Amino acid sequence: MTDLTGRAISSRYLVEKRLASGGMATVYLAKDLRLERKVAIKAIHPHLIGDQNFVAKFEREAKVAASLSHPNLVNVFDQGQDADVLYLVMEYVPGITLRDAIDQFGALTDERAFEVVTPIAAGLAQAHRAGILHRDIKPENILLADSGAVKLSDFGLAREMSNRTAVEELVGTAAYLSPELVSGGEVGPASDIYALGVVLFELVTSQQPFTGADSRSIALQHASSQIPEARTINPAVSSELSQLISWMTEKNANARISDGAALADILRKLRGGQTVAELRAAGRSAQLNLATERIQIDSAAATTVLNLSPDSPNETKVIDLAGEPEPGEVARLPRPILRIIISAALAVLLGLGVGWFFGSGPGGFKSVPELTNRTVNEAQLALIELSPNLIVIEENSKDIAAGYIIRTEPSSGSLFFGGDLKLFVSIGPKLVAAPNLIGKNLASAQAKILAEGFAIGKISSFFNSAPLGEVFAHTGSDGKPVGESSAIDVSVSLGSIPSVAGLNRTAAELALTAVGIKTGKIREEYSDEIAQGNVISFIPQVEPLGENGTVDLVISKGPQLVQIPNLVGETILAAKSTLESIGLVVQVNTDQLSTRWGIVKVKRVSPVAGASVKIGSTVTISTR
């Protein structure tokens, strides 16, 4: 793919540099020129854009991903196409990927592994509650931010195994495929849990559970084999963590931890002292109790519980444990049991119907997503499924930057029943005049800042012509209004820098050191006024110059002298040219016309030949 560095995508996103590249896309660091912030742009490889089904799927899933907002998920801001570039704009998270961490540091301790997987479980819980699967959890998609946050990226952008996907990308993805993904079974939240379990296995062992010559062989091992216990690879892994990984990576999805919310709850309980064995037993007991509550059947009966096919939730199947009927024979059930089964089936179907109507069906309501600190454009993307009538109201805010949403009505998390949805957008803090602090000492200035409702900002000290200890500049001292209640930075004078011009170098350095100024580079220059070896001037290395600052000294080399050459016998023109070329001013004493200066000879020069004079001095040449 052509490098997009330097290109302004959609006249808004200026691409600064390439961050990473994979089988489907290249990720760039860019600047949002409209909002003046760093973003990450995922540009899809051009050969994929020709597939209209892929483009439609990409755009649909981008909208779904934009509806998610969680501290442990990378936010999606925008999506679009600019000529040959199909792109997704995401939150830029400076830091490294979990893959980088594994490659650099190897296996992590149990404690460090928990610190990574716990926030990812919290992010997955949010996604799974919203009905969104990740489908591509792997170390490359887990970001370890410089701020210490752990974030899961690339929601909804599932990789497909095809001849258009790079081998290395495919192998990386195949290493985390759940058995049901490989075998073409139903995919649900438990598939994400499996992939995260494989990541956790790799975190504590520094290796993947299965290896092979190609992605197909690796994927087939996930479908046919149980992942080995982590402790057999790294004995330092605790029994509890090893059992947790085995639970997360059960081949049977129904035996696995069900989703992100369940995993987050289990991690919390493990931290609280409960064991994996206890939690698994409690989970099995809860499932058994749930099944018993749904239908009670005589334990002596040959036929037991109903089984709803996941592929067809409206189809009820009866399983006869007494044996299969002969060909052509219909299994008969005692009438009381048959009535119970039919009643239970109707109840289950009715429950499914009601759940569908109020969930994804026509009577469904959705909650308002968290939109704080997003722009209106980002909010519109996140609210596509709600189709609200958006009303934008501008407000001052000292906490939320201008252009970003402060709050919504209804508030985030509230069920939305249609109609108006108000977005309160910040126009920044209310602007007011800053207090006048010029000439005050620091204590008086701070008291006035607080008295007028502002906060004390950064206090800096610089050398200045103002008297020592007085405020000579502060936020708003230029007359520009400042944000209400904002922090006021103050600059306090250290007094003037000592005048060292004319002093010898040693004396000058002592005078500067006495007020806390260091001497840096020494530069020499010619000077007609300052004697050789004395200071001509100083140059601060930074301005304004603060405490422990450094100045460079300019030391005099004395006046610059040149020697008068012997010009007697030379023509006037030749002598004049020679003297001017060495920086001297020439005065001609002659009674000859200037037209003859190229012929008439010089008889005397003053000062005489061999004399040393300053550059710029006047020399007289005479023909008399």
Side-chain angles (χ1 to χ4, degrees):
M1 179 178 182
T2 303
D3 191 346
L4 300 178
T5 301
R7 176 169 170 177
I9 297 176
S10 296
S11 301
R12 175 174 178 179
Y13 304 106
L14 179 61
V15 178
E16 295 184 349
K17 65 177 180 179
R18 185 164 62 176
L19 297 176
S21 186
M24 243 186 60
T26 299
V27 180
Y28 296 92
L29 172 64
K31 182 178 181 181
D32 184 337
L33 300 176
R34 186 178 302 165
L35 299 178
E36 295 187 348
R37 63 175 175 180
K38 300 288 187 184
V39 295
I41 290 190
K42 171 166 284 195
I44 302 303
H45 292 333
H47 68 266
L48 295 173
I49 300 177
D51 185 340
Q52 293 304 311
N53 290 333
F54 173 85
V55 172
K57 179 175 179 290
F58 173 82
E59 292 175 345
R60 182 174 63 252
E61 293 178 339
K63 292 174 183 177
V64 172
S67 68
L68 289 175
S69 180
H70 190 274
N72 300 115
L73 302 179
V74 173
N75 289 318
V76 172
F77 296 149
D78 193 9
Q79 182 274 321
Q81 185 166 354
D82 181 8
D84 59 334
V85 180
L86 179 65
Y87 64 91
L88 188 72
V89 182
M90 303 174 294
E91 171 188 8
Y92 172 58
V93 182
I96 63 173
T97 68
L98 188 57
R99 168 65 62 215
D100 297 329
I102 294 172
D103 290 344
Q104 291 177 30
F105 307 114
L108 301 185
T109 63
D110 286 15
E111 184 67 23
R112 290 287 179 264
F114 267 109
E115 289 175 1
V116 171
V117 78
T118 298
I120 296 303
L124 270 182
Q126 173 81 357
H128 290 165
R129 278 192 292 267
I132 299 173
L133 304 181
H134 189 285
R135 295 177 291 175
D136 194 23
I137 294 175
K138 57 185 179 182
E140 289 80 354
N141 287 337
I142 295 174
L143 307 182
L144 308 180
D146 290 342
S147 63
V150 181
K151 290 176 176 276
L152 183 58
S153 68
D154 268 7
F155 256 92
L157 301 181
R159 306 293 196 266
E160 296 180 352
M161 290 187 187
S162 72
N163 57 7
R164 294 179 301 184
T165 305
V167 173
E168 59 269 19
E169 181 73 14
L170 186 59
V171 171
T173 300
Y176 307 92
L177 291 178
S178 65
E180 58 270 20
L181 266 170
V182 178
S183 61
E186 183 185 13
V187 178
S191 298
D192 283 344
I193 298 300
Y194 183 92
L196 185 56
V198 178
V199 170
L200 188 52
F201 178 97
E202 188 173 357
L203 265 183
V204 296
T205 65
S206 75
Q207 66 181 59
Q208 295 170 350
F210 300 126
T211 58
D214 52 36
S215 58
R216 175 181 171 82
S217 65
I218 295 171
L220 291 176
Q221 289 179 76
H222 281 283
S224 61
S225 305
Q226 177 67 40
I227 285 177
E229 287 195 24
R231 294 193 76 192
T232 62
I233 309 298
N234 180 8
V237 178
S238 69
S239 174
E240 289 300 312
L241 184 54
S242 187
Q243 290 179 60
L244 174 65
I245 294 170
S246 296
W247 190 5
M248 294 171 68
T249 56
E250 286 282 358
K251 279 182 59 182
N252 183 350
N254 293 327
R256 248 178 258 149
I257 297 171
S258 59
D259 56 25
L263 176 59
D265 184 57
I266 287 166
L267 291 171
R268 180 180 57 81
K269 289 176 178 176
L270 288 175
R271 289 295 187 121
Q274 291 185 255
T275 66
V276 171
E278 291 170 345
L279 293 172
R280 294 197 74 164
R284 285 191 292 268
S285 175
Q287 290 177 334
L288 181 60
N289 291 339
L290 180 60
T292 306
E293 289 172 5
R294 284 178 179 169
I295 182 169
Q296 296 290 335
I297 297 182
D298 187 346
S299 60
T303 304
T304 56
V305 187
L306 302 170
N307 176 33
L308 296 178
S309 165
D311 293 327
S312 181
N314 293 327
E315 178 185 353
T316 303
K317 295 181 180 179
V318 178
I319 302 174
D320 187 355
L321 299 184
E324 295 294 327
E326 293 296 326
E329 179 185 357
V330 176
R332 300 179 180 275
L333 299 174
R335 288 185 179 274
I337 295 176
L338 184 59
R339 282 196 297 271
I340 292 172
I341 293 174
I342 292 173
S343 298
L346 289 174
V348 170
L349 289 173
L350 180 60
L352 288 172
V354 171
W356 168 80
F357 184 83
F358 287 107
S360 59
F365 298 117
K366 296 185 180 295
S367 60
V368 178
E370 176 59 64
L371 299 175
T372 302
N373 275 317
R374 290 193 177 193
T375 65
V376 173
N377 287 342
E378 293 164 4
Q380 289 173 330
L381 280 174
L383 294 169
I384 285 175
E385 292 188 3
L386 298 185
S387 299
N389 175 37
L390 285 182
I391 299 173
V392 177
I393 301 171
E394 294 183 336
E395 278 189 357
N396 289 113
S397 172
K398 64 179 182 180
D399 301 315
I400 305 297
Y404 291 84
I405 294 169
I406 304 168
R407 67 183 189 283
T408 62
E409 286 185 6
S411 60
S412 63
S414 303
L415 286 178
F416 185 70
F417 301 96
D420 294 345
L421 195 155
K422 296 178 181 178
L423 302 179
F424 292 85
V425 179
S426 171
I427 55 174
K430 181 180 178 181
L431 297 179
V432 297
N436 183 13
L437 309 174
I438 302 298
K440 296 184 178 297
N441 61 42
L442 180 57
S444 298
Q446 290 177 317
K448 188 165 186 178
I449 289 171
L450 296 175
E452 296 196 15
F454 293 92
I456 297 173
K458 183 180 179 182
I459 307 298
S460 304
S461 298
F462 300 103
F463 289 94
N464 186 267
S465 58
L468 176 66
E470 285 190 5
V471 173
F472 68 88
H474 59 81
T475 305
S477 60
D478 55 1
K480 294 180 180 178
V482 298
E484 187 177 34
S485 304
S486 62
I488 303 292
D489 296 338
V490 175
S491 296
V492 180
S493 176
L494 291 171
S496 299
I497 299 176
S499 176
V500 294
L503 299 180
N504 64 48
R505 176 177 172 181
T506 301
E509 289 180 337
L510 286 173
L512 292 170
T513 302
V515 295
I517 298 176
K518 301 173 184 176
T519 302
K521 298 176 183 177
I522 303 298
R523 192 172 76 202
E524 293 185 325
E525 292 183 0
Y526 291 104
S527 173
D528 293 341
E529 291 77 27
I530 304 297
Q532 182 177 0
N534 290 353
V535 175
I536 299 173
S537 63
F538 60 80
I539 303 170
Q541 289 190 353
V542 295
E543 289 185 332
L545 188 68
E547 289 180 292
N548 298 315
T550 302
V551 297
D552 297 336
L553 293 181
V554 181
I555 305 295
S556 173
K557 294 167 65 176
Q560 187 173 5
L561 302 177
V562 292
Q563 196 172 50
I564 303 294
N566 184 9
L567 299 173
V568 174
E570 299 287 340
T571 65
I572 295 174
L573 283 182
K576 186 174 184 294
S577 176
T578 299
L579 291 171
E580 288 176 342
S581 70
I582 60 175
L584 299 175
V585 177
V586 179
Q587 183 174 330
V588 180
N589 179 19
T590 183
D591 56 0
Q592 299 293 318
L593 295 174
S594 60
T595 55
R596 291 179 52 81
W597 285 11
I599 301 171
V600 178
K601 308 290 185 178
V602 173
K603 293 180 179 179
R604 291 191 306 275
V605 178
S606 179
V608 297
S612 294
V613 297
K614 298 177 185 177
I615 285 181
S617 299
T618 298
V619 178
T620 302
I621 57 176
S622 178
T623 61
R624 300 185 187 195

